[in-house]
């Protein structure tokens, strides 16, 4: 033993000890690193260049469980709808119903002739003629109301009054390749048929131009420059382009070859005018004549005699309650419904629907609740604009408020999609332990994947926001990474 000790090289021993110690610390740190799902996620090769904001909180204790740049504003895509719908519930109420008024000016003589105009006065209802909800036979009820008022002839026009929203139409912060399509339509005080135009094409061999064989509804003087191509794809890759209310449109892209009737959806250029035309047709079908053509106001060649004429309301059409509309927005990520509700906020408060005032109202409301609105940059209500930005901290704070403090908690919670079960989350986390336990709003636009919501099971009540911008790889690959992250977080 002594010999061994005498022969031992102590300087060498010290160096080796330090090497072993450093190696042990490195292995230990790597072990800790590997066990942290957030670190693993952000160091994935596809995520190393991404802009990421994450926050996960325990709703019972308020403890921040996991985070990654939680205060950094990030493009939220359709998770912005959670903010819009939460604010609308708080300010307008779950039972709020849109009102569309039928009114007339002039007078009704003894023979039943209305010597004046009949007005459709819009207040932003997204459900008129919608395929999503509402009374499909509402025009018949409108005709019955006109007859009940004793009117058998209208010596004037049916006028669609859109003056309670501004005339901006599509949000100016949307991109050009979105504007003109059904998912990014103009937003007006009168909406009709989901503000959607259905164009049916008959396609031939690969490389040929498909033929337009039907347009529904019919739009007088509508011109479509057709630059489509038939190809071997099996999905819709056609995009319409056009400015607000313009009847000159173009369509580009591809649709499947050899299809006898392939429908592509576009923006409906004049929803108010189409509604007035359909109403006039329904009236005339039931024996009520109208002497002049319908039109919309505001209009450049029309001066509404608001100061000198009195309009008499003869019928009020009510929408479905806001609670049901919000369920459609959050579960189906309906941009059109979201934007109608968004612009309605300022109409509700100020009497005129504008994007600018709605943005201000949302900021002021959440600022009054103690949220840091410096982490919110909002351009629209749906999240379609790439200029939107919000932090994970701000989104989780909104969701936390709605869960813990809002009288509309149940309505809001019910409006969210359920992982593996419903809405836009029906295919998300489907075959994982979190199926049926995540209630959230998803968000997807180019190079953006985002989710915000709740994880609720026997062991936890968590609120979270995960937003990833500019990842490498495709959108579905990014989703798989986010799914894995959520599963790993909940298995810790």
């Amino acid at each position: 033993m002594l010999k061994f000790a005498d022969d031992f090289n102590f300087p060498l021993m010290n160096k080796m000890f330090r090497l072993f110690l450093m190696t042990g610390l490195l292995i230990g740190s790597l072990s800790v690193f590997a066990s942290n799902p957030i670190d693993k996620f952000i160091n994935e090769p596809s995520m190393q260049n991404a802009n990421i904001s994450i926050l996960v909180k325990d709703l019972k204790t308020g403890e921040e469980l996991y985070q990654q740049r939680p205060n950094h504003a990030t493009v939220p895509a359709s998770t912005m709808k959670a903010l819009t719908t939460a604010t609308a519930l708080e300010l307008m109420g779950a039972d709020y119903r849109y009102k569309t008024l039928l009114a007339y000016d002039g007078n009704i003589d003894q023979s039943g002739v209305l010597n004046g105009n009949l007005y459709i006065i819009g207040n932003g209802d997204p459900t008129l003629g919608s395929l999503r909800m509402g009374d499909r036979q509402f025009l018949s009820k409108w005709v019955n109301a006109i007859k009940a008022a004793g009117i058998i002839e209208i010596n004037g026009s049916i006028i669609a009054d859109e003056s309670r929203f501004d005339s901006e139409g599509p949000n100016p912060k949307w991109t050009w390749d979105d504007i003109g399509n059904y998912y990014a339509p103009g937003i007006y005080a009168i909406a009709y048929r989901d503000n959607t135009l259905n164009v049916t094409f008959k396609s031939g061999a690969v490389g040929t131009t498909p033929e337009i064989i039907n347009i529904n509804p019919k739009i007088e003087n509508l011109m479509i420059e057709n630059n489509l191509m038939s190809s071997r794809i099996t999905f819709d890759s056609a995009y319409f382009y056009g400015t607000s209310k313009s009847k000159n449109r173009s369509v580009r892209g591809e649709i499947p070859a050899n299809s006898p009737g392939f429908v592509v959806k576009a923006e409906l250029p004049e929803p108010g005018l189409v509604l007035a035309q359909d109403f006039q047709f329904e009236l005339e079908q039931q024996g009520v004549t109208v002497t002049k053509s319908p039109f919309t106001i505001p209009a450049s060649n029309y001066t509404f005699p608001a100061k000198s004429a009195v309009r008499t309301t003869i019928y009020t059409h009510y929408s479905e309650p806001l609670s049901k509309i919000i369920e459609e927005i959050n579960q189906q990520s309906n941009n059109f419904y979201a934007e109608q509700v968004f612009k309605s906020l300022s109409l509700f408060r100020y009497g005129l629907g504008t994007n600018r005032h709605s943005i201000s109202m949302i900021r002021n409301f959440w600022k009054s609740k103690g949220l840091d609105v410096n982490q919110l940059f909002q351009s629209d209500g749906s999240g379609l604009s790439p200029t939107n930005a919000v932090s994970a901290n701000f989104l989780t704070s909104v969701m936390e408020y709605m869960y813990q403090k809002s009288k509309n908690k149940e309505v809001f919670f019910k409006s969210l999609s359920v992982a593996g079960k419903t809405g836009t989350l029906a295919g998300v986390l489907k075959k994982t332990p979190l199926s049926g336990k995540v209630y959230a709003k998803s968000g997807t636009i180019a190079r953006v994947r985002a989710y915000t919501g709740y994880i609720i099971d026997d062991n936890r009540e968590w609120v979270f926001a995960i937003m990833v911008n500019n990842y490498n790889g495709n959108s579905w690959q990014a989703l798989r990474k986010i799914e894995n992250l959520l599963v790993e977080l909940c298995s810790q």
Side-chain angles (χ1 to χ4, degrees), residues 134-302:
D135 183 1
R136 301 285 180 83
Q137 306 302 318
F138 75 96
L139 285 178
S140 293
K141 293 180 180 178
W142 287 16
V143 172
N144 291 337
I146 299 305
K147 288 182 172 181
I151 300 172
I152 61 172
E153 179 181 341
I154 299 172
N155 185 21
S157 294
I158 297 178
I159 301 174
D161 184 350
E162 301 176 329
S163 61
R164 297 192 178 184
F165 276 13
D166 64 17
S167 57
E168 195 168 58
N171 191 296
K173 299 296 184 180
W174 292 345
T175 60
W176 179 243
D177 56 343
D178 288 328
I179 292 173
N181 293 286
Y182 76 96
Y183 59 85
I187 303 302
Y188 307 105
I190 294 179
Y192 184 49
R193 293 190 177 191
D194 299 308
N195 285 13
T196 297
L197 182 74
N198 295 296
V199 183
T200 305
F201 294 87
K202 180 181 178 181
S203 62
V206 171
T208 61
T209 300
E211 174 191 356
I212 297 174
I213 60 175
N214 188 52
I215 298 175
N216 184 31
K218 301 294 184 184
I219 306 291
E220 188 177 357
N221 299 322
L222 178 66
M223 301 294 294
I224 298 177
E225 179 187 331
N226 182 6
N227 297 300
L228 272 186
M229 181 177 292
S230 304
S231 79
R232 292 186 175 87
I233 66 172
T234 59
F235 53 91
D236 179 359
S237 184
Y239 292 87
F240 277 83
Y241 300 84
T243 57
S244 176
K245 293 197 174 184
S246 169
K247 293 184 179 180
N248 294 314
R249 302 288 165 130
S250 65
V251 59
R252 305 171 194 168
E254 302 173 11
I255 63 172
N258 301 309
S259 174
F262 191 89
V263 178
V264 178
K265 296 179 180 179
E267 176 199 25
L268 182 62
E270 288 267 16
L273 181 59
V274 174
L275 174 57
Q277 290 171 343
D278 284 0
F279 186 27
Q280 181 164 330
F281 178 80
E282 192 75 20
L283 282 166
E284 292 175 342
Q285 287 293 104
Q286 297 192 39
V288 179
T289 60
V290 183
T291 62
K292 298 180 181 179
S293 298
F295 61 94
T296 63
I297 56 172
S300 58
N301 61 347
Y302 180 83

Side-chain angles (χ1 to χ4, degrees), residues 17 23 69 119 127 232 256 278 305 328 377 456:
F17 177 76
T23 303
R69 302 174 76 237
Y119 296 86
T127 70
R232 292 186 175 87
D278 284 0
E328 164 67 19
F377 303 87
I456 309 294

